[in-house]
Amino acid sequence: MSRLIIVAGLALLAILPHAAAQTPPAKGTTGQRPPSATPAERLKVAKGFRVELLYSVPKETEGSWVSMCLDPQGRLIVSDQYGGLYRVTPPPLTPHPSPPQGGEGRKNASPFSSASGERGGSEGGGKASETKVEKIPVAIGEAQGLLWAFDSLYVVVNSRKYESGLYRVRDTDGDGELDEVKLLRRLRGGGGEHGPHAVLLTPDGKSLVVVHGNQTPLTQFDRTRVPPIWGEDHLLPRMPDGRGFMAGVLGPGGAMYKVDPEGKSWELLTVGFRNQYDAAFNRHGELFTYDADMEWDFNTPWYRPTRVCMATSGSEFGWRNGSGKWPPYYPDSLPAIVDIGPGSPTGVCFGYGAKFPAKYQEAFFICDWSYGKLYAVHLTPHLSAYKGEAEEFISGSPLPLTDLVINPRDGAMYFIVGGRRTQSGLYRVTYVGPESTAPSKGDDRGAEFRAIRHQLEAFHGRKDPQAVDAAWPYLNHEDRYIRYAARVALEHQDPPTWRERALAEKDPQAALTALLALVRVSASDPFHRPKDAPPVDESLKARLLAALDRIAWDVLSDEQRLELLRVYGLVFNRMGRPDEATRQRTIARFDPHYPARNRLLNAELCQMLVYLEAPSAAAKTMKLLEAAPTQEEQIEYAKSLRVLKTGWTPELRRQYFSWFLKAGTFKGGASFEGFMRNIKKDAVANLSEEERAALKPILEAQPTQAPVAVAPPRPFVKKWTVDELAAAAEKGLKHRDYDRGRALFGAANCFACHRFANEGGATGPDLTGAAGRFNVRDLLESIIEPSKEISDQYAAVIIATRDGKVITGRIVNIHGDSWSVNTDMLNPSALVRVDSRQVESVETSKVSMMPTGLLDTLKEDEILDLLAFLLSRGNRSDPMFR
């Protein structure tokens, strides 16, 4: 069988286990390698660290482990996803030799891949025979959350056999064995993998936090820090998932609760997650989680990558079904601290108590099940929140990470792999390098800003006559998290106590924040409106719109303009369509500003003008669609235009429906084709009979099989060298053109694989933060000479099976013994199934997956614009630009 070659894109996972150690089966047989977790020496680990495989779990008797905690003796308690609980006593630590001297550890050699790390090392002192595993004889299991606290084992079951919910398990007779199981709270929606998940202890040691995903409806709560006025809040009709997944499920999605030890009192803390599996508090008492993406949405404008979120009091993170997910700039939600990329989030923890260098003691460790990566997210205080940077700490393939803990008794990290009946294993991570492992003192910068936010958060969930005056000075604070906390404090107070003040506010930012709050508390979203809800107050609606009209567009930043459009949108969504005079006035307000230079502003202006049926919307938007350098931006406009009824000419209609022939060759996740069909279906439904007849040849035409480039092809200019362009960049990165740089990022096909500033493909690394890690020469070398230094963490892997097949690709999912391998990075749906038991060998390609010659069709001046764009981190106000 010929090899399946990926022709473009970035790099793949690390070398797979058993690469050349297998003995070929006898002729005529189909041998299968014995089950074993991936050996430690096949893993990549940060410099100075060592990994031991302590135990390969016998699948037939002990299952596949997905959650873990420590008991008071420092032993591990683990749970099989479909079975019971086990107590694990690891072997004691033994001295290790120094790490291998041949490798240099991980380093940032290329923004388009990642440099090699050290091998994990041998089994060392952790032999499987020395790891003691005991079945816990208690009738509970299938846990996706475990915690030992209050002399009890708390178990969160997301089950098939046992009823889903929060349980408390205790030793009632003092014999050292758990014997009592008590269900504290049923949590509906279990049985899948988006149900009840983790349970953790609050920093004060007095309460629990319970985590659940977006298939678990909100449980009854006694108190809520989140104002219970959430909604879908879409200006234009949203599309459900293209394959119907969770199509009828409304927001607010995944949530977290504060719960007393008896499980009786529940307080809602935060909502709006897709499927956060775990969470942890940092030393400042802030709650962090790692939220999931929807990989079926790859290469759509509404795709959101997996991301680390700081879940502050009363926070909302905007998960909604299908195309309805809120973008991170919506002011009624909070953004991620750092975007990670495609993956499947599982266990998380901070490094406190580990005998690691200080940097790693402070890190937020997060597990990605799909791609076999354990990240160390390094958080730096910024105002009242943090900025984050993710480092690949450990990686392997397959390495379906499920949970991890730091054991303060020996200072080691323990992690498990497993889930979905895959081969499970227990590993231990220790530091054996030369750096000090003395306890870290942390970084207390930002304490004054956090104190302000915490003071405001104290008003969440309760009415207080002091709250309005306390919150008002912070409605225009530079810190988004403080503004958010101040708004939530307002929303918990009686509206009559602050309504007039909001309508009269003159400061633009304070007015935007206050008016957003007033809209939300004054009317319900149509999807969540109670049957007995009072009619909309039309006089208040008019006053809200008048207050918004007074906020001058020209004095606002682009971020504030996005807020302004959002508040207008909420007024129309929650309080009803405008009358004709208001419609005309609002069109007159926004039409002169469309199109804008900012691509996000164009998306929101497009939605607003389409909603208002502005006469110019069709012509202006089609012009933007034709010029857009990414398929995501083109789909953004096409999705909005699908419901526009006015302003079309026969030629514009022809152009619009001809676009679907081009878009038919676009690639995306599993729901992509369904979304595209639904866009066209909705658009066709708006046609008259005469228009359908005139457009019949186009409507019935089928896309060509050959891919159609998003941007037109460009002629060859010259074969550029690193030295030439590095010299040009020394003095040439001034007065650059941001928009041309972005267009060239598309013309060079970079957007096909890479995200930048929240747009682009999802199969390659996000390049938004590249400027923080790489200089100009590094960037140029990575583009022009991609094979000069290839990480085998991101190199192509070539899998040879025992029946003679050879598959090149990236392992993106595992279920039991089946691997799903993506064989085309430009097409996330191009998957081949591989039986892991039939793998004969795995090799790492010596040639980079990234194509050469990407700059050879660009002129020097264009390359400088492209470099400035890459170095800008998406900031068009960077000094490099005019």
Side-chain angles (χ1 to χ4, degrees):
M1 176 179 176
S2 61
R3 293 185 178 183
L4 302 173
I5 303 299
I6 303 175
V7 296
L10 284 204
L12 305 181
L13 286 179
I15 188 169
L16 298 178
H18 309 283
Q22 301 301 314
T23 302
K27 189 174 182 180
T29 67
T30 56
Q32 296 181 350
R33 59 184 176 84
S36 173
T38 302
E41 61 267 21
R42 298 296 185 188
L43 306 183
K44 291 301 181 70
V45 59
K47 185 177 181 180
F49 289 87
R50 184 173 296 278
V51 182
E52 306 164 75
L53 172 59
L54 299 183
Y55 188 67
S56 281
V57 180
K59 187 190 306 185
E60 298 304 319
T61 57
E62 295 173 3
S64 192
W65 296 352
V66 295
S67 60
M68 175 168 57
C69 73
L70 292 167
D71 74 3
Q73 288 74 46
R75 299 170 299 185
L76 306 172
I77 297 176
V78 300
S79 180
D80 172 17
Q81 184 174 4
Y82 308 110
L85 304 178
Y86 298 88
R87 182 183 296 111
V88 182
T89 305
L93 289 174
T94 57
H96 288 292
S98 299
Q101 299 301 308
E104 298 181 7
R106 293 200 185 279
K107 61 181 180 179
N108 292 315
S110 168
F112 301 93
S113 60
S114 176
S116 300
E118 294 175 347
R119 297 296 180 189
S122 65
E123 303 296 313
K127 297 178 182 178
S129 60
E130 298 173 355
T131 300
K132 183 180 179 182
V133 178
E134 306 166 271
K135 181 77 167 66
I136 298 177
V138 64
I140 196 68
E142 301 181 312
Q144 294 191 11
L146 294 169
L147 171 70
W148 191 281
F150 308 108
D151 296 320
S152 307
L153 176 66
Y154 289 90
V155 181
V156 177
V157 174
N158 184 3
S159 75
R160 300 181 181 186
K161 178 180 178 181
Y162 301 103
E163 189 169 13
S164 292
L166 173 65
Y167 291 78
R168 188 175 190 177
V169 186
R170 293 192 290 183
D171 172 11
T172 60
D173 56 14
D175 66 353
E177 290 292 344
L178 298 169
D179 52 47
E180 179 190 73
V181 177
K182 182 179 180 181
L183 175 61
L184 302 182
R185 173 67 65 95
R186 292 179 177 85
L187 295 170
R188 295 187 296 126
E193 294 181 345
H194 290 230
H197 292 317
V199 55
L200 52 146
L201 192 64
T202 56
D204 63 7
K206 297 179 180 180
S207 304
L208 310 172
V209 169
V210 176
V211 176
H212 72 65
N214 60 351
Q215 277 188 323
T216 299
L218 293 179
T219 191
Q220 182 177 350
F221 46 82
D222 306 280
R223 185 170 178 243
T224 176
R225 289 180 166 270
V226 183
I229 50 176
W230 47 75
E232 300 302 288
D233 287 323
H234 302 123
L235 188 59
L236 299 180
R238 70 110 183 263
M239 296 184 297
D241 179 79
R243 295 178 66 180
F245 179 65
M246 294 182 65
V249 178
L250 300 178
M256 292 191 261
Y257 303 84
K258 182 180 177 182
V259 184
D260 74 287
E262 302 297 325
K264 294 179 179 179
S265 175
W266 289 63
E267 179 183 26
L268 184 61
L269 299 178
T270 177
V271 298
F273 302 98
R274 180 175 182 267
N275 191 30
Q276 80 292 22
Y277 185 84
D278 200 357
F281 287 96
N282 77 349
R283 67 170 66 251
H284 300 139
E286 307 293 354
L287 181 60
F288 285 82
T289 190
Y290 179 28
D291 196 19
D293 64 357
M294 177 49 160
E295 68 276 13
W296 290 4
D297 292 354
F298 281 172
N299 297 5
T300 66
W302 50 87
Y303 171 72
R304 303 193 311 183
T306 68
R307 54 197 196 145
V308 171
C309 300
M310 185 176 78
T312 59
S313 170
S315 52
E316 153 80 84
F317 288 90
W319 174 85
R320 300 298 184 267
N321 180 261
S323 68
K325 288 176 285 293
W326 295 0
Y329 52 80
Y330 274 8
D332 37 343
S333 67
L334 286 174
I337 294 295
V338 59
D339 285 339
I340 301 298
S344 181
T346 47
V348 305
C349 77
F350 278 92
Y352 309 140
K355 291 182 180 178
F356 292 176
K359 174 182 178 180
Y360 294 99
Q361 292 179 46
E362 299 297 320
F364 182 48
F365 290 97
I366 60 175
C367 295
D368 173 12
W369 186 88
S370 291
Y371 294 100
K373 296 181 182 181
L374 174 55
Y375 294 94
V377 180
H378 304 291
L379 300 169
T380 303
H382 175 68
L383 300 176
S384 82
Y386 302 81
K387 292 182 178 180
E389 183 173 337
E391 171 195 358
E392 288 172 13
F393 181 67
I394 296 172
S395 58
S397 182
L399 196 69
L401 293 138
T402 54
D403 208 355
L404 76 170
V405 296
I406 303 295
N407 192 336
R409 288 183 171 242
D410 60 14
M413 171 191 286
Y414 293 83
F415 69 84
I416 53 176
V417 300
R420 296 186 183 175
R421 306 191 192 281
T422 59
Q423 175 60 51
S424 204
L426 170 67
Y427 298 80
R428 178 164 60 194
V429 185
T430 51
Y431 183 69
V432 294
E435 293 185 47
S436 170
T437 58
S440 170
K441 296 180 180 179
D443 185 347
D444 286 332
R445 287 177 296 173
E448 67 276 19
F449 292 104
R450 291 192 296 275
I452 292 171
R453 177 164 53 78
H454 294 162
Q455 290 167 10
L456 294 167
E457 290 170 349
F459 296 110
H460 294 180
R462 65 187 182 92
K463 299 184 187 302
D464 189 308
Q466 311 278 331
V468 174
D469 286 340
W472 212 271
Y474 298 104
L475 296 178
N476 65 351
H477 197 276
E478 62 176 318
D479 180 16
R480 179 171 173 178
Y481 289 81
I482 289 176
R483 292 200 306 273
Y484 190 98
R487 176 178 59 78
V488 171
L490 276 188
E491 291 179 352
H492 280 291
Q493 311 311 310
D494 290 327
T497 64
W498 55 273
R499 181 187 298 125
E500 296 303 319
R501 192 169 178 178
L503 292 167
E505 178 60 55
K506 291 183 171 56
D507 178 86
Q509 181 62 71
L512 287 169
T513 309
L515 294 172
L516 172 62
L518 186 55
V519 177
R520 283 167 45 84
V521 301
S522 300
S524 302
D525 173 81
F527 285 96
H528 294 265
R529 186 166 295 153
K531 292 181 180 180
D532 58 350
V536 169
D537 184 340
E538 292 293 337
S539 65
L540 177 59
K541 175 183 173 183
R543 296 184 69 195
L544 276 163
L545 290 170
L548 290 169
D549 289 346
R550 290 195 298 269
I551 301 175
W553 180 269
D554 291 343
V555 304
L556 302 178
S557 66
D558 280 352
E559 291 74 17
Q560 291 171 325
R561 291 167 178 168
L562 289 169
E563 287 192 44
L564 178 68
L565 286 161
R566 176 61 172 169
V567 182
Y568 270 100
L570 287 178
V571 172
F572 295 142
N573 176 65
R574 292 191 172 216
M575 306 186 82
R577 299 188 70 88
D579 59 29
E580 182 58 22
T582 304
R583 185 180 78 89
Q584 294 291 349
R585 185 177 72 247
T586 311
I587 291 173
R589 165 150 212 203
F590 292 121
D591 190 62
H593 303 295
Y594 182 59
R597 291 189 55 166
N598 185 305
R599 174 243 182 290
L600 300 179
L601 267 179
N602 280 336
E604 296 301 320
L605 285 165
C606 176
Q607 287 192 64
M608 179 61 69
L609 293 171
V610 166
Y611 174 83
L612 297 170
E613 294 287 341
S616 67
K620 287 185 174 182
T621 305
M622 280 306 304
K623 187 174 181 180
L624 282 172
L625 188 154
E626 294 289 338
T630 74
Q631 74 175 47
E632 291 81 5
E633 185 180 358
Q634 292 184 22
I635 294 168
E636 181 82 67
Y637 300 133
K639 177 173 72 77
S640 294
L641 286 174
R642 83 190 199 280
V643 297
L644 180 65
K645 296 180 174 63
T646 59
W648 293 100
T649 65
E651 176 58 22
L652 287 173
R653 286 289 198 195
R654 187 196 65 78
Q655 291 177 14
Y656 177 70
F657 285 102
S658 295
W659 174 82
F660 286 97
L661 299 177
K662 171 184 175 181
T665 67
F666 292 172
K667 304 301 181 184
S671 294
F672 187 85
E673 291 184 4
F675 279 123
M676 298 304 294
R677 282 195 304 269
N678 290 338
I679 293 174
K680 184 176 179 181
K681 179 181 177 182
D682 289 349
V684 170
N686 278 325
L687 295 175
S688 66
E689 291 300 324
E690 294 79 7
E691 288 173 321
R692 291 190 194 191
L695 292 168
K696 184 177 180 180
I698 296 174
L699 295 178
E700 295 181 353
Q702 298 299 313
T704 61
Q705 296 301 311
V708 179
V710 175
R714 298 171 57 90
F716 177 80
V717 174
K718 69 171 293 185
K719 191 75 175 176
W720 292 102
T721 67
V722 174
D723 288 340
E724 285 177 315
L725 293 177
E730 283 186 12
K731 299 181 180 179
L733 293 179
K734 298 177 182 178
H735 308 296
R736 305 319 316 170
D737 187 324
Y738 179 95
D739 293 294
R740 188 165 74 158
R742 177 176 173 269
L744 291 166
F745 195 73
N749 215 28
C750 305
F751 272 127
C753 290
H754 298 284
R755 286 182 75 76
F756 189 89
N758 290 315
E759 62 177 331
T763 52
D766 189 322
L767 298 182
T768 310
R773 304 185 300 274
F774 309 99
N775 59 33
V776 173
R777 190 174 187 89
D778 290 335
L779 285 171
L780 288 169
E781 191 171 89
S782 298
I783 298 170
I784 296 173
E785 302 174 7
S787 295
K788 183 174 181 179
E789 185 169 359
I790 308 173
S791 163
D792 50 10
Q793 164 64 19
Y794 277 103
V797 288
I798 305 168
I799 304 169
T801 63
R802 297 189 175 197
D803 57 0
K805 297 178 181 177
V806 179
I807 303 97
T808 300
R810 183 178 192 180
I811 299 175
V812 296
N813 208 334
I814 307 172
H815 199 295
D817 295 314
S818 177
W819 297 350
S820 294
V821 182
N822 173 240
T823 58
D824 184 350
M825 292 191 73
L826 296 177
N827 181 7
S829 296
L831 299 175
V832 172
R833 301 286 181 184
V834 175
D835 185 342
S836 63
R837 297 167 298 179
Q838 298 293 332
V839 171
E840 171 68 22
S841 66
V842 180
E843 299 177 2
T844 303
S845 174
K846 302 299 183 183
V847 179
S848 173
M849 298 298 296
M850 186 168 175
T852 59
L854 291 176
L855 301 183
D856 293 351
T857 61
L858 305 183
K859 299 176 183 177
E860 180 181 294
D861 197 52
E862 293 175 319
I863 294 172
L864 294 176
D865 283 339
L866 175 60
L867 283 174
F869 175 75
L870 278 169
L871 293 168
S872 73
R873 306 190 189 198
N875 177 20
R876 63 172 56 249
S877 299
D878 189 281
M880 292 181 290
F881 306 114
R882 297 187 181 92

